[in-house]
Amino acid sequence: MTTPTLLVLGTDPLPRLGRLTGRVRVEYADESTLAARLPSADVLLVWDFTSHAVRAAWPGGGPRPRWVHTASAGVDHLLCPELAASDTVVTNARGVFDGPIAEYVAALVLAFAKDLPRTLTFQRERTWRHRESRRLAGTRACVVGSGPIGRAIAGTLEALGVTAALVGRAPRDGVHGPEDLDRLLARADWVIAAAPLTESTRGMFDARRFGVMQPSAYFVNVGRGQLVVEEALAEAVRRRWIAGAALDVFETEPLPPDSPLWRLPGLVVSPHMSGDTVGWRDELCAQFVELFELWAAGRPLVNVVDKQRGYVPGH
């Protein structure tokens, strides 16, 4: 039996795939070498999920890997028309980030409700300023994105006494459709963006949507930066159309040092870290090895992405 070739589009630290030793030929590529090495690969592991190299390299000539796995929940960084039209199977890291992102969102919601950002500011200024904070119990959240991450966020918030409404691509049991979004935004104390990036979600949070929200509402984006029109968000926070916001993802990453978002009062900026907890890379490696076992045995893979929709269906 021919030893399959696994091509890793990677950056340090590289994945530890010890269980595959002797069973697969591992080669490595970066953005400059990916196109030349794709034709010889049976499997492509997109370890560097911040790279858009696959989109650029895939349309070239020659054979292509039969299976592509990305160590991320989103797949917008690698899908291109040629890959979408091919018979290559694409899988993602669904399941690894759900709990950590939900915890991160809960931490942000608690921080906003209890006014922790200003507490830290006043401490640095040695200012004693008593305030009253908000109760979470009885407030409402609108979670946009009904996949595993969105559901985990809703469940975690509900454990804190928040009533959470999920909004997905289409209405179904326990999930609202897009036609309900504006109505839910108008009632929400917390608006959480956790949707995949598709043509229908790109720029969905614009000036009109921020205008629908309550002046007391907070907005959190842990989905994709391109879900949000950043200029509109900045204007909404600056003019107090909403109470504040937290962004973990951005249109351009890393966020440029001269971006006005860094200095915008009422905005919490974090460097795309909501799902990254201690040991997360080991979890991603273990997940890939389990998927490889299925692939090598000729069994159906899990976490298979619908390449036309841009996410794993069935949730």
Side-chain angles (χ1 to χ4, degrees), residues 23-35:
R23 301 176 55 194
V24 63
R25 180 185 303 105
V26 181
E27 298 181 356
Y28 297 93
D30 57 24
E31 294 190 0
S32 65
T33 60
L34 180 64

Side-chain angles (χ1 to χ4, degrees), residues 107-122 129-134 190 218 240 243:
L108 288 169
V109 168
L110 279 165
F112 284 136
K114 303 308 175 184
D115 203 20
L116 293 185
R118 286 207 303 165
T119 294
L120 296 174
T121 297
F122 291 145
R129 184 173 299 177
H130 181 270
R131 291 101 63 212
E132 295 177 347
S133 63
R134 299 176 67 179
W190 320 101
Y218 287 85
R240 302 292 292 176

Side-chain angles (χ1 to χ4, degrees), residues 32-305:
S32 65
T33 60
L34 180 64
R37 296 185 178 179
L38 270 180
S40 63
D42 298 294
V43 178
L44 172 64
L45 169 58
V46 184
W47 184 248
D48 181 6
F49 51 79
T50 66
S51 172
H52 289 77
V54 175
R55 292 175 61 92
W58 196 273
R64 289 293 179 262
R66 292 171 284 163
W67 168 36
V68 174
H69 177 76
T70 179
S72 62
V75 296
D76 51 277
H77 60 292
L78 59 88
L79 283 182
C80 60
E82 292 81 4
L83 174 54
S86 73
D87 58 1
T88 295
V89 176
V90 175
T91 57
N92 72 352
R94 179 188 184 197
V96 172
F97 301 107
D98 309 356
I101 292 178
E103 292 174 356
Y104 199 86
V105 169
L108 288 169
V109 168
L110 279 165
F112 284 136
K114 303 308 175 184
D115 203 20
L116 293 185
R118 286 207 303 165
T119 294
L120 296 174
T121 297
F122 291 145
Q123 180 179 348
R124 287 192 296 270
E125 297 172 352
R126 302 183 185 183
T127 299
W128 183 277
R129 184 173 299 177
H130 181 270
R131 291 101 63 212
E132 295 177 347
S133 63
R134 299 176 67 179
R135 285 289 309 273
L136 275 189
T139 61
R140 294 173 173 172
C142 175
V143 181
V144 183
S146 59
I149 292 174
R151 294 203 306 272
I153 291 170
T156 301
L157 291 179
E158 286 176 344
L160 295 171
V162 179
T163 299
L166 279 168
V167 179
R169 181 173 178 267
R172 55 192 183 278
D173 187 29
V175 178
H176 296 268
E179 64 277 4
D180 291 336
L181 178 57
D182 287 354
R183 176 177 61 82
L184 293 170
L185 290 180
R187 302 170 60 193
D189 300 289
W190 320 101
V191 176
I192 316 299
L197 180 61
T198 66
E199 287 308 308
S200 63
T201 62
R202 186 182 300 273
M204 68 184 301
F205 289 100
D206 55 12
R208 190 188 69 78
R209 285 263 160 74
F210 290 121
V212 169
M213 293 168 56
Q214 300 184 81
S216 59
Y218 287 85
F219 175 78
V220 177
N221 186 13
V222 289
R224 281 291 181 266
Q226 294 82 358
L227 299 177
V228 177
V229 179
E230 290 180 353
E231 295 81 1
L233 172 65
E235 186 76 356
V237 173
R238 188 179 299 113
R239 292 181 176 272
R240 302 292 292 176
W241 295 341
I242 61 175
L247 300 179
D248 187 56
V249 288
F250 301 85
E251 291 182 22
T252 301
E253 296 184 5
L255 186 65
D258 60 352
S259 170
L261 295 177
W262 287 109
R263 302 179 299 278
L264 184 62
L267 177 66
V268 174
V269 170
S270 58
H272 204 149
M273 58 179 283
S274 61
D276 301 346
T277 53
V278 176
W280 66 288
R281 292 183 179 87
D282 291 337
E283 289 187 51
L284 289 172
C285 290
Q287 181 186 58
F288 175 74
V289 170
E290 291 176 5
L291 286 170
F292 186 89
E293 301 278 4
L294 295 175
W295 181 81
R299 297 168 59 190
L301 291 170
V302 297
N303 290 8
V304 175
V305 173

